[in-house]
Amino acid sequence: MLKRTDLFPARVKVSWTKQPLFYVFAILALIILLIVLVMISSKKEDKHIVNKATAATSINLEKKVNPKEKVATKLDQSLTGAHFSGTALVVKNGKVLLHKGYGKANVQKEKWNGPTTTFPVASTAKILTAILIGQQVDAGKLKYDTKLSDFYPGVQNADQITVRDLLTMTSGLKQSKQPDSYTDDMANVDFSAANAESSGGVIGTGAGWSYQPINYRLLAGILMKVTGKSYQELAEQTFNKKAKLGILYYPAFKKADNLANAYQVGTESERDVTTVEYQRETGTGNVSMTTGQLYQLYRDFFDNKFVKNHKDLLKQHLPAHYASGLYGYGDVYEGHGIFSGYESNVVVSNHGKNAVILLSNQYDNEHSVQKIGQQFFTELTGEAAP
């Protein structure tokens, strides 16, 4: 019997390429392929950008560089004539023109200063504390107008003093009494808070500016209270584990083989620095760096590698020109530190691409190389140093 094909149509073999599912799978495969190609292209582009950025900033900051350019040669001669003891780094448009040591880092061991010698940088290190504050602002845990009273209500006028006032040293605070013993960083800051006095300045204005380290000790205390971590833990995480700078903190730098000891000017007599003198500088300068590390720190800062916008940290309470460890005039910034025979001098501009850095292990009030650094920065760049 013949089947009625209108009721029982015959099965016809259809090519697999004409099956509906084929088109579905083909379209899906095409979409996936396009996505993969876009991802690969994006990764290549990102890698290109990273490599380009790295190439722009990757200079050897541990290599000795003798001067060849006119201004660098003149600076080299001036430092030699002034019997400078320390290390000098000169950079113009991202190119190292001079990087060498002068004098001895360790008389007893016959070690000379050089590009890899590390020096306690004193107050120049205040920028580290400022950066850590900026990171907490970026994270939403602080604001620049947060009041000191939120953390240290017992400090005089704490309800009027802001984080910004501490960063710019316009808090109107000073600390006359210093501790003669040390327990830990938090106890050190608590001592500062308990011994805070009015400096007589107008809070939050340039008329209230006075260079007082207590501002940065209180900022260090705020950081520790906000994060629940020690100051050194925070600094180590940001500047060494992430930024790979290799900064040393007290007491580790005292044991470092490349540390420059401090000497009386013009002699081989080592300066006597007590343990407490180092310890009490919480957040204000108890770190050591090489000239190269200090330069890289500024480059990374101006490139916004630490905070979202470095300009937020550099806002000043005019007519004072100090903020976040730097004296700033236009595009030119200067950092300066003094500590028991050590002196650090930095003049930097052009987002860190121009710099004169002088770190010394022989200093007294009549033997400073600050003016030499300022003079040669101006000759090098044509820009007036602060």
Side-chain angles (χ1 to χ4, degrees):
M1 177 186 291
L2 297 174
K3 291 184 178 181
R4 290 182 58 183
T5 56
D6 57 334
L7 297 178
F8 305 99
R11 292 183 178 273
V12 179
K13 290 185 178 181
V14 180
S15 171
W16 65 274
T17 59
K18 295 182 180 181
Q19 293 281 358
L21 285 175
F22 167 77
Y23 295 103
V24 173
F25 287 121
I27 292 171
L28 286 174
L30 183 60
I31 292 172
I32 292 171
L33 179 61
L34 288 172
I35 291 173
V36 170
L37 289 173
V38 169
M39 290 175 67
I40 292 173
S41 175
S42 177
K43 286 183 178 179
K44 285 183 177 179
E45 182 65 22
D46 289 344
K47 187 175 181 181
H48 172 70
I49 293 172
V50 170
N51 287 341
K52 185 177 180 181
T54 302
T57 59
S58 61
I59 54 179
N60 189 339
L61 293 170
E62 295 186 351
K63 179 183 177 182
K64 179 179 178 179
V65 177
N66 287 313
K68 295 180 180 178
E69 193 266 348
K70 182 179 179 180
V71 175
T73 300
K74 188 177 176 182
L75 172 59
D76 178 48
Q77 293 170 346
S78 293
L79 291 174
T80 301
H83 304 290
F84 171 66
S85 180
T87 302
L89 171 62
V90 177
V91 183
K92 184 176 182 181
N93 294 325
K95 181 182 178 181
V96 178
L97 302 183
L98 169 69
H99 199 189
K100 60 179 287 191
Y102 304 78
K104 291 181 180 179
N106 191 312
V107 171
Q108 187 178 5
K109 296 182 179 180
E110 283 291 317
K111 288 189 174 182
W112 296 83
N113 289 315
T116 61
T117 304
T118 187
F119 300 79
V121 295
S123 294
T124 305
K126 285 181 173 62
I127 191 174
L128 303 178
T129 301
I131 288 169
L132 295 174
I133 287 289
Q135 290 181 339
Q136 295 307 312
V137 173
D138 287 346
K141 295 182 179 180
L142 274 179
K143 294 181 179 179
Y144 290 113
D145 59 2
T146 296
K147 296 292 176 62
L148 177 60
S149 55
D150 289 356
F151 303 95
Y152 293 97
V155 172
Q156 186 177 358
N157 300 321
D159 60 339
Q160 302 173 46
I161 298 168
T162 66
V163 167
R164 177 78 68 194
D165 297 334
L166 296 171
L167 286 168
T168 55
M169 291 199 181
T170 58
S171 67
L173 295 176
K174 67 177 182 178
Q175 179 184 347
S176 300
K177 184 180 179 181
Q178 298 295 336
D180 53 15
S181 63
Y182 175 87
T183 304
D184 55 40
D185 281 345
M186 187 60 85
N188 191 46
V189 177
D190 288 342
F191 181 94
S192 293
N195 288 275
E197 308 169 13
S198 172
S199 66
V202 182
I203 298 170
T205 71
W209 188 83
S210 177
Y211 190 92
Q212 301 292 338
I214 186 176
N215 290 282
Y216 278 73
R217 277 197 275 275
L218 291 173
L219 286 171
I222 290 172
L223 284 167
M224 291 187 282
K225 290 190 175 189
V226 166
T227 65
K229 296 180 179 179
S230 72
Y231 180 85
Q232 188 164 323
E233 283 181 295
L234 293 170
E236 181 72 18
Q237 179 67 31
T238 294
F239 302 111
N240 287 345
K241 291 183 179 178
K242 290 184 179 180
K244 309 295 184 186
L245 290 179
I247 295 171
L248 295 177
Y249 305 90
Y250 185 85
F253 70 67
K254 287 292 290 181
K255 303 174 184 176
D257 192 52
N258 62 333
L259 174 70
N261 293 330
Y263 294 94
Q264 302 285 347
V265 174
T267 75
E268 294 188 344
S269 300
E270 192 170 344
R271 294 286 292 260
D272 182 26
V273 184
T274 68
T275 299
V276 176
E277 282 184 282
Y278 285 116
Q279 292 171 327
R280 71 188 182 200
E281 296 298 327
T282 302
T284 67
N286 56 353
V287 302
S288 78
M289 295 186 231
T290 66
T291 44
Q293 289 167 346
L294 193 53
Y295 173 72
Q296 191 62 56
L297 171 71
Y298 286 110
R299 280 299 297 267
D300 289 350
F301 172 68
F302 286 110
D303 285 343
N304 296 320
K305 291 184 179 180
F306 294 121
V307 293
K308 291 178 182 178
N309 187 352
H310 69 274
K311 292 182 180 179
D312 290 337
L313 282 170
L314 294 176
K315 290 181 180 178
Q316 303 165 341
H317 280 329
L318 296 173
H321 287 265
Y322 182 91
S324 298
L326 290 168
Y327 300 88
Y329 292 78
D331 182 49
V332 183
Y333 294 89
E334 181 176 20
H336 184 239
I338 299 168
F339 179 78
S340 295
Y342 296 102
E343 182 182 28
S344 57
N345 295 280
V346 178
V347 189
V348 60
S349 72
N350 191 20
H351 290 273
K353 297 182 184 68
N354 298 330
V356 173
I357 298 177
L358 304 174
L359 299 182
S360 175
N361 61 331
Q362 283 193 8
Y363 168 83
D364 62 34
N365 291 332
E366 297 178 356
H367 191 270
S368 170
V369 291
Q370 184 177 19
K371 289 184 179 180
I372 292 178
Q374 293 170 336
Q375 173 193 338
F376 282 96
F377 178 86
T378 299
E379 289 193 32
L380 182 75
T381 65
E383 301 172 300

